[in-house]
Amino acid sequence: MAAKFVINETKKGFTFNLKATNGEVIATSEVYNSKPACKKGVASVQKNAEIAEVEDQTAKEVEAKKGPKFEIYKDKKGEFRFRLKAGNGQIIAVGEGYKDLAACKKGVTSIKKNAPGAAIVDAE
């Protein structure tokens, strides 16, 4: 199974999930008001993920990066998370919470590898 972006219609609009080759969701989107807008969001992730640098905001000395970038941070529960920001600073995808930093970084690596060539499909 290849990685794919799955577009879902919700009560409030459209979202996408990026699923890895094992079927696990590795990133999700905001809610878009139309399917074409959601597809533009997918295209932005495909374009930016591969070239985005990683800004680890949990490090003692944070080296600020200009966009596009993956920001790694700790949430209120103490879990590690990432968000992918486009060059304009807009968040275009977010990841789940991870117990440790290494797992979170693996999630970022997976998106960098899988997003650029991932197919776009509608939810079944």
Side-chain angles (χ1 to χ4, degrees), residues 7-51:
I7 294 179
N8 300 288
E9 187 170 2
T10 69
K11 288 179 181 169
K12 295 181 178 178
F14 294 85
T15 63
F16 66 77
N17 289 318
L18 174 57
K19 291 190 174 188
T21 53
N22 64 3
E24 289 284 316
V25 174
I26 52 177
T28 58
S29 74
E30 65 178 343
V31 178
Y32 294 92
N33 59 10
S34 69
K35 194 172 191 177
C38 188
K39 286 187 173 184
K40 278 186 178 175
V42 169
S44 183
V45 171
Q46 288 176 316
K47 182 181 92 178
N48 289 294
E50 201 171 23
I51 59 171

Side-chain angles (χ1 to χ4, degrees), residues 31-88:
V31 178
Y32 294 92
N33 59 10
S34 69
K35 194 172 191 177
C38 188
K39 286 187 173 184
K40 278 186 178 175
V42 169
S44 183
V45 171
Q46 288 176 316
K47 182 181 92 178
N48 289 294
E50 201 171 23
I51 59 171
E53 293 190 73
V54 177
E55 180 179 294
D56 183 355
Q57 297 178 346
T58 67
K60 283 187 177 145
E61 303 247 345
V62 177
E63 187 181 332
K65 308 283 185 190
K66 292 195 184 303
K69 64 182 174 180
F70 284 95
E71 292 178 342
I72 294 177
Y73 63 99
K74 266 190 166 178
D75 67 13
K76 290 176 183 162
K77 290 197 268 181
E79 292 183 324
F80 293 93
R81 293 185 172 269
F82 64 82
R83 56 188 159 232
L84 174 58
K85 286 188 168 183
N88 64 3

